[in-house]
């Protein structure tokens, strides 16, 4: 679906003096050509179509990587790009504006208040579906706000001038509003779209409503409800994306240096797991069977900037968000499926300094998702350029501060094309997350059972990993640890870790100083429990004349 933004209020002073001096009164009374009048809008179906697309335009996209930059998964090194650097360092004050923005919600409310004006000129079923799409988007935007701030003003209408200052509503009321809205629109939205102007793939679906509902309920610890919503999605026909063979430059990558394969079949399992996982984010596979909701990008017009933000300087990127050693340590052994004991930081630094071959051993025999996600010294990637092997150059322009770069979400296709920008859609909800939501919620609700193991096995086997050992993870507590680990590696760089470390109450343990492979400090981090919520910007409190209140600790 191609996005078109409607600007309802536009004005310009260009050439106004000549208009005033040379034009008649009748001309002056005509609507400006660069402004859409409310008297002339909402008169045809195309107006409603453009307006709803204008709401979709407010969906986030490539910025989700910065949510991980505010966690133990990644380092966001440039404070001018996002607020992740300040949040991760603990250096947060009430000057932080963060995500406190109601423009998207106002756009939703404006649409919902005016769309019925076109009721006489369009199909009523289509109009109701459009309204359901916008209600879904409003719930999505409110979910993001409550994740960051907890209680926020619950605004469901366009506020007239003079009535903008409204207090924060209790978070429980907002969560109830979100869950009620998602449940209601799930009954209206279709399971899929056949194509055509009003039915493009990429619009909110029944599956998107249930998947977001499951995420909201998971975050709130509503285990049974979350499992039920996830199970509803699981019955809609989504499946994990898989490739059946390698092709092109992918076949040139030598992984025998990094993995001790038992057989040709073992190597194929590994390689197809790697390609399936990384391939689902590529433009050539966008809209695949795993995608539930994505931020649509217009090919060669509306680029995301992941090919710039993530690669290293010598690859043409900025290293804006880079993996931490803690994320590297999270990837299990491909051979055993069990966690890997991390190398002692001082020993790693010595091996790196001395160019000791033992330095590379840390990157051997890991989960295929590791090789699809992280660029480490010696990592092969012929799809980026022929014969490419990653090499970290500390201190050089736009290089990582940790010794690693992200490969996940980078689409190498465009590096070999005249246009190097990445135009792949950015996935916001996908089926793997739903399976992980089901596994966590069901385990917390009733403990391990066959359905929980099956959900996890689907994810692990798609990635080329072995099934979960039922005998070893037969208790709720042990399986909880495995599920959390699977969420971390499967959803890395997709914005979920920010809330996971808060709702699991592990942020104090994991938000520690980060170091590069030389054991040199990359970022000092200080955790304070007030960081479970971001501060309401003091500027907004001042503008609201004290009606807005501040979060605890600020």
């Amino acid at each position: 679906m191609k996005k078109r933004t409607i600007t309802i209020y536009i004005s310009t002073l260009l050439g106004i003096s000549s208009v005033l001096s040379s034009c008649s009164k009748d001309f002056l009374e005509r609507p400006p050509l660069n402004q859409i009048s409310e008297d002339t809008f909402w008169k045809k179906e195309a107006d409603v179509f453009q307006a709803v697309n204008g709401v979709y335009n407010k969906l986030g996209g490539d910025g989700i990587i910065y949510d991980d930059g505010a966690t133990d998964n990644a380092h966001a090194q440039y404070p001018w790009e996002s607020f992740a650097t300040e949040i991760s360092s603990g250096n947060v004050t009430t000057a932080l504006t963060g995500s406190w923005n109601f423009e998207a919600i106002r756009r939703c409310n404006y649409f919902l208040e005016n769309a019925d004006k076109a009721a006489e000129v369009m199909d009523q079923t289509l109009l109701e579906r459009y309204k359901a799409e916008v209600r879904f988007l409003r719930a999505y935007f409110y979910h993001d706000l409550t994740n960051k701030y907890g209680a926020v003003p619950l605004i469901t209408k366009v506020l007239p001038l003079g009535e903008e200052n409204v207090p924060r509503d209790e978070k429980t009321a907002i969560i109830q509003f979100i869950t009620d809205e998602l449940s209601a629109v799930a009954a209206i939205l279709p399971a899929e779209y056949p194509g055509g102007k009003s039915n493009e793939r990429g619009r909110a679906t029944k599956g998107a409503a249930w998947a977001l509902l499951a995420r909201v309920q998971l975050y709130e610890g509503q285990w049974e409800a979350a499992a039920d919503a996830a199970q509803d999605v699981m019955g809609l026909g989504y499946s994990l994306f898989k490739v059946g063979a390698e092709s092109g430059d992918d076949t040139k990558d030598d992984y025998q240096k990094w993995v001790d394969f038992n057989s040709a079949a073992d190597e194929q399992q590994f390689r197809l797991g790697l390609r399936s996982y990384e391939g689902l984010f590529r433009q050539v596979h966008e809209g695949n069977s795993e995608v539930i909701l994505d931020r649509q990008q217009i090919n060669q017009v509306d680029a995301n900037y992941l090919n710039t933000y993530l690669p290293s300087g010598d690859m043409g990127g900025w290293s804006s968000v880079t993996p931490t050693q803690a994320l590297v340590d999270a990837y299990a052994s491909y051979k055993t499926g069990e966690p890997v004991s991390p190398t002692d930081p001082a020993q790693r630094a010595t091996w790196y300094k001395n160019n000791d071959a033992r330095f590379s051993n840390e990157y051997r025999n890991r989960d295929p998702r590791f090789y699809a996600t992280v660029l480490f010294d010696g990592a092969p990637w012929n799809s980026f350029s022929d014969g490419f092997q990653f090499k970290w150059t500390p201190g050089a322009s736009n290089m990582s501060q940790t010794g690693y770069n992200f490969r996940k979400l980078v689409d190498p296709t465009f590096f070999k094309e005249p246009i190097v920008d990445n135009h792949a859609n950015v996935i916001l909800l996908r089926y793997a997350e739903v399976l992980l939501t089901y596994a966590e919620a069901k385990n917390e609700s009733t403990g391990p059972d066959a359905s929980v193991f099956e959900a996890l096995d689907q994810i692990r086997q798609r990635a080329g990993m072995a099934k979960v050992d039922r005998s070893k993870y037969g208790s709720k507590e042990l399986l909880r640890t495995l599920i959390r680990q699977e969420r971390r590696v499967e959803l890395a760089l997709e914005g979920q870790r920010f809330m996971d470390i808060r709702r699991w109450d592990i942020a104090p343990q994991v938000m520690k100083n980060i170091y590069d492979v030389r054991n040199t400090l990359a970022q000092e981090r200080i955790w304070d429990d007030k960081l479970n919520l971001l501060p309401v910007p003091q500027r907004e409190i001042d503008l609201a004349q004290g009606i807005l209140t501040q979060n605890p600790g600020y």
Side-chain angles (χ1 to χ4, degrees):
M1 179 184 67
K2 298 181 179 181
K3 299 294 186 299
R4 302 173 186 169
T5 304
I6 293 181
T7 304
I8 301 298
Y9 304 108
I10 307 174
S11 62
T12 181
L13 297 177
L14 183 63
I16 194 168
S17 59
S18 61
V19 171
L20 290 175
S21 62
S22 61
C23 296
S24 67
K25 179 179 178 182
D26 289 342
F27 181 84
L28 291 175
E29 291 178 349
R30 294 169 60 189
L33 297 179
N34 65 341
Q35 179 176 330
I36 300 175
S37 168
E38 294 202 39
D39 293 332
T40 59
F41 201 70
W42 306 109
K43 298 297 185 182
K44 52 186 182 294
E45 181 178 314
D47 294 342
V48 183
F49 173 76
Q50 291 184 25
V52 71
N53 284 0
V55 180
Y56 275 103
N57 192 62
K58 299 304 293 182
L59 272 176
D62 50 27
I64 63 173
I65 64 174
Y66 292 106
D67 279 351
D68 267 45
T71 75
D72 56 332
N73 272 359
H75 175 226
Q77 66 171 314
Y78 304 127
W80 53 87
E81 283 187 2
S82 74
F83 301 104
T85 311
E86 296 171 73
I87 295 170
S88 59
S89 69
N91 183 30
V92 176
T93 70
T94 58
L96 185 77
T97 54
S99 303
W100 189 273
N101 190 316
F102 285 80
E103 180 184 349
I105 289 170
R106 186 189 188 283
R107 193 172 289 194
C108 293
N109 290 338
Y110 182 84
F111 176 90
L112 292 170
E113 286 187 8
N114 288 277
D116 283 338
K117 293 177 182 178
E120 295 182 0
V121 298
M122 66 180 297
D123 177 77
Q124 189 64 30
T125 300
L126 178 60
L127 178 60
E128 291 304 312
R129 197 204 78 199
Y130 278 150
K131 289 159 65 175
E133 291 178 52
V134 173
R135 290 169 67 189
F136 166 84
L137 292 168
R138 183 171 60 179
Y140 185 97
F141 299 138
Y142 259 116
H143 174 56
D144 183 63
L145 277 170
T146 56
N147 287 344
K148 305 292 174 59
Y149 299 99
V152 295
L154 180 56
I155 304 170
T156 58
K157 65 178 182 178
V158 177
L159 299 176
L161 292 175
E163 297 182 17
E164 305 92 342
N165 296 339
V166 293
R168 303 166 72 186
D169 287 83
E170 293 293 331
K171 182 182 177 182
T172 53
I174 301 165
I175 296 300
Q176 189 64 56
F177 171 78
I178 293 171
T179 56
D180 287 348
E181 284 288 273
L182 292 174
S183 297
V185 301
I188 302 171
L189 293 170
E192 59 183 355
Y193 292 92
K197 178 179 178 180
S198 300
N199 295 285
E200 304 99 331
R201 296 184 70 174
R203 293 183 176 276
T205 60
K206 187 184 303 294
W210 280 338
L212 181 58
L213 179 61
R215 181 191 286 181
V216 172
Q217 291 167 329
L218 183 79
Y219 283 8
E220 296 305 309
Q222 300 171 4
W223 307 121
E224 291 185 15
D228 288 345
Q231 200 162 30
D232 286 337
V233 183
M234 292 159 66
L236 289 176
Y238 293 101
S239 61
L240 298 179
F241 172 76
K242 299 177 183 179
V243 299
E246 285 188 298
S247 60
D249 291 332
D250 286 344
T251 62
K252 301 176 185 177
D253 291 343
D254 181 9
Y255 283 105
Q256 292 193 13
K257 175 182 177 180
W258 298 105
V259 183
D260 300 318
F261 297 115
N262 297 327
S263 63
D266 186 33
E267 181 174 4
Q268 183 182 41
Q269 173 181 301
F270 171 91
R271 297 180 75 99
L272 293 184
L274 190 163
R275 302 308 178 194
S276 296
Y277 181 72
E278 70 176 1
L280 76 94
F281 302 103
R282 302 276 176 82
Q283 182 177 356
V284 68
H285 299 304
E286 64 187 20
N288 62 69
S289 62
E290 187 166 345
V291 177
I292 299 176
L293 179 72
D294 55 5
R295 175 38 163 103
Q296 302 278 296
Q297 311 289 149
I298 304 173
N299 188 32
Q300 297 194 10
V301 175
D302 180 25
N304 68 60
Y305 293 96
L306 297 170
N307 276 22
T308 299
Y309 292 151
L310 298 176
S312 57
D314 57 345
M315 299 171 69
W318 295 348
S319 301
S320 299
V321 179
T322 54
T324 61
Q325 185 64 51
L327 178 62
V328 171
D329 294 343
Y331 290 90
S333 166
Y334 172 70
K335 306 300 292 182
T336 67
E338 296 302 314
V340 174
S341 298
T343 301
D344 176 76
Q347 182 65 78
R348 179 189 301 115
T350 299
W351 286 340
Y352 178 83
K353 179 181 179 181
N354 295 333
N355 200 26
D356 193 308
R358 287 173 290 182
F359 172 77
S360 298
N361 288 339
E362 186 169 12
Y363 311 125
R364 293 180 58 81
N365 295 317
R366 293 295 192 97
D367 184 327
R369 288 171 291 188
F370 167 69
Y371 303 96
T373 301
V374 178
L375 288 172
F376 57 91
D377 265 25
W381 202 13
N382 280 278
S383 287
F384 172 74
S385 65
D386 292 338
F388 178 85
Q389 290 188 355
F390 180 76
K391 178 66 178 176
W392 180 51
T393 306
S397 177
N398 290 331
M399 298 300 283
S400 168
Q401 300 298 306
T402 65
Y404 305 102
N405 277 81
F406 277 110
R407 167 173 166 166
K408 180 178 176 178
L409 304 186
V410 177
D411 195 331
T413 305
F414 300 102
F415 290 106
K416 295 185 176 181
E417 299 291 336
I419 299 177
V420 298
D421 286 333
N422 185 341
H423 296 91
N425 296 341
V426 179
I427 301 174
L428 303 176
L429 290 167
R430 62 184 178 98
Y431 188 56
E433 180 194 342
V434 172
L435 292 174
L436 287 164
T437 293
Y438 176 80
E440 180 179 353
K442 187 69 172 174
N443 184 58
E444 294 297 334
S445 175
T446 61
D449 67 16
S451 67
V452 176
F453 288 119
E454 169 60 24
L456 294 171
D457 286 345
Q458 287 186 54
I459 294 169
R460 288 169 65 89
Q461 289 188 291
R462 185 272 295 277
M465 293 289 283
K467 291 183 177 181
V468 178
D469 186 337
R470 270 67 165 166
S471 62
K472 181 166 185 176
Y473 294 97
S475 72
K476 177 188 291 188
E477 291 73 24
L478 289 173
L479 192 56
R480 175 189 296 142
T481 300
L482 178 67
I483 290 170
R484 291 182 177 186
Q485 197 74 352
E486 282 294 317
R487 274 189 69 89
R488 184 176 192 181
V489 300
E490 176 69 26
L491 303 177
L493 207 58
E494 297 180 51
Q496 296 301 300
R497 187 70 175 173
F498 184 88
M499 285 302 297
D500 283 351
I501 65 173
R502 286 162 171 78
R503 66 188 181 89
W504 293 335
D505 197 26
I506 63 171
Q509 289 77 51
V510 301
M511 291 301 290
K512 303 298 185 182
N513 293 348
I514 57 175
Y515 296 83
D516 65 22
V517 295
R518 304 168 303 175
N519 205 25
T520 301
L521 182 67
Q523 185 189 29
E524 184 177 358
R525 294 181 161 187
I526 300 172
W527 177 262
D528 188 302
D529 283 345
K530 70 179 183 181
L531 295 172
N532 281 311
L533 296 173
L534 298 185
V536 178
Q538 186 61 44
R539 180 183 66 183
E540 300 297 331
I541 293 176
D542 294 341
L543 288 172
Q545 301 176 1
I547 291 177
L548 287 176
T549 57
Q550 187 54 269
N551 276 327
Y554 294 100

